[in-house]
Amino acid sequence: MIRVQVTHVLPFTDLHGTDRVPYLPEPPSPLQFHREWLCPNRPCIVRNAISHWPAMQKWTLDYLRNLLGSKAVSVAVTPNGYADAVYDNKFVMPEERTMSFADFVDIIEKKTHSPGVFYIQKQCSNLTEEFPELMGDVEDHIPWMSEALGKRPDAVNFWLGESAAITSLHKDHYENLYCVISGEKHFILHPPSDRPFIPYEMYQPATYKVNEDGTFEVIDGEPSDKVPWIPVDPLEPDLSLYPAYGETRPLHVTVKAGEMLYLPSLWFHHVRQSHGCIAVNYWYDMEYDIKYHYFQLLDSLTKAAGNS
């Protein structure tokens, strides 16, 4: 039997020469972006990339309420703000509730009370599919990114919710441009090279359900459809259960209104936000090139070493 032990992976600062996510004062050219950020799989924050969008001046809660007030929208509702996260040793997804946009904004503005934490976060290009009225205020793609990749985005998503809404630690197979229109987003980032120290476990899928009395219960899904997910909460990591996570050096990044975060594919990320933060992100499918194969190799070695 061959035993593999993963003991050390170069931290981000050694791989990229910095322990901070750099700022670009303006959007790069497609060639510059491809050479300096996309190919090296390096995150950056781009300023002055969305300042020309009408959304930057128009998208207040009052404007959105007047435009979308009676429109039925999909809202994720959880008891604790964690959607698609590990809870009580299960992978629990939010209750997907349909309600008018005006009723949703009333909850965000604390004009009405409803049990739970509310978040518009449906990730199926909901901006183009569910909110086409807003597309005139933003771009349907980012031209320099589309040229660098030679393709248009797979999805354009709209995000709006309460400060208690939190996205648990995970990774995506997308090149992600995350644009903050108002408020702030707070990211905790791990490069793909941190994979040996980030645990995965298999969980029974389940969904939250809100009862008539306002209490939440967890409804189990099919036990055969177990979901691999990360049990560590970067805000309060339990190093007694997951000591290897202490070997990581996460990057903490705040993206402010008017800024765009380039979040490279396969980077692990955990996201919080200010109350009522409005954001739009563009998902471009990643290239399944050497970076993807490197990650697959690292993932396989980690599992072979018994680090999950």
Side-chain angles (χ1 to χ4, degrees), residues 135-156:
M135 286 304 299
D137 295 337
V138 299
E139 294 175 293
D140 61 358
H141 74 118
I142 304 300
W144 47 268
M145 179 64 142
S146 297
E147 185 174 341
L149 286 169
K151 56 190 168 188
R152 294 291 187 101
D154 280 9
V156 185

Side-chain angles (χ1 to χ4, degrees), residues 3 12 24 29 37 48 50-51 65 120 163 171 210 256:
R3 294 191 177 275
F12 180 76
L24 306 185
S29 70
W37 307 101
N48 299 306
I50 60 174
S51 54
R65 182 203 296 275
I120 292 180
S163 59
K171 65 174 176 16
V210 184
K256 299 179 180 179

Side-chain angles (χ1 to χ4, degrees), residues 92-292:
V92 188
M93 294 167 283
E95 176 182 279
E96 290 288 347
R97 188 179 305 180
T98 300
M99 60 195 306
S100 75
F101 188 85
D103 287 345
F104 168 75
V105 174
D106 282 346
I107 293 170
I108 296 297
E109 294 184 321
K110 308 299 183 185
K111 293 179 178 178
T112 61
H113 174 73
S114 186
V117 177
F118 289 69
Y119 196 14
I120 292 180
Q121 57 128 48
K122 198 167 185 179
Q123 299 153 48
C124 56
S125 203
N126 68 335
L127 184 57
T128 60
E129 299 300 318
E130 196 167 5
F131 299 100
E133 303 92 336
L134 298 177
M135 286 304 299
D137 295 337
V138 299
E139 294 175 293
D140 61 358
H141 74 118
I142 304 300
W144 47 268
M145 179 64 142
S146 297
E147 185 174 341
L149 286 169
K151 56 190 168 188
R152 294 291 187 101
D154 280 9
V156 185
N157 302 309
F158 175 82
W159 308 78
L160 170 59
E162 302 182 66
S163 59
I166 294 175
T167 302
S168 67
L169 189 64
H170 70 291
K171 65 174 176 16
D172 298 310
H173 289 74
Y174 290 105
E175 308 295 349
N176 189 351
L177 294 179
Y178 206 103
C179 310
V180 177
I181 308 298
S182 67
E184 297 180 344
K185 289 278 183 175
H186 308 285
F187 288 80
I188 298 175
L189 305 180
H190 289 281
S193 55
D194 272 353
R195 171 62 185 95
F197 313 114
I198 295 177
Y200 274 86
E201 295 183 4
M202 301 298 294
Y203 294 97
Q204 159 89 32
T207 306
Y208 286 116
K209 179 179 181 297
V210 184
N211 298 314
E212 290 185 3
D213 63 0
T215 60
F216 283 79
E217 64 177 309
V218 175
I219 307 299
D220 288 342
E222 292 295 328
S224 59
D225 298 331
K226 286 198 170 183
V227 176
W229 206 255
I230 299 168
V232 170
D233 182 350
L235 299 176
E236 296 180 347
D238 187 342
L239 298 183
S240 65
L241 283 177
Y242 307 106
Y245 185 77
E247 298 295 322
T248 67
R249 296 295 180 266
L251 302 177
H252 294 260
V253 181
T254 294
V255 186
K256 299 179 180 179
E259 296 178 340
M260 171 193 289
L261 170 67
Y262 166 54
L263 177 59
S265 56
L266 303 177
W267 274 65
F268 299 92
H269 51 287
H270 173 282
V271 192
R272 293 171 293 150
Q273 63 189 346
S274 60
H275 195 80
C277 176
I278 304 172
V280 171
N281 86 297
Y282 297 78
W283 269 342
Y284 288 80
D285 195 18
M286 69 175 290
E287 295 295 328
Y288 291 86
D289 54 13
I290 189 63
K291 295 191 298 291
Y292 172 75

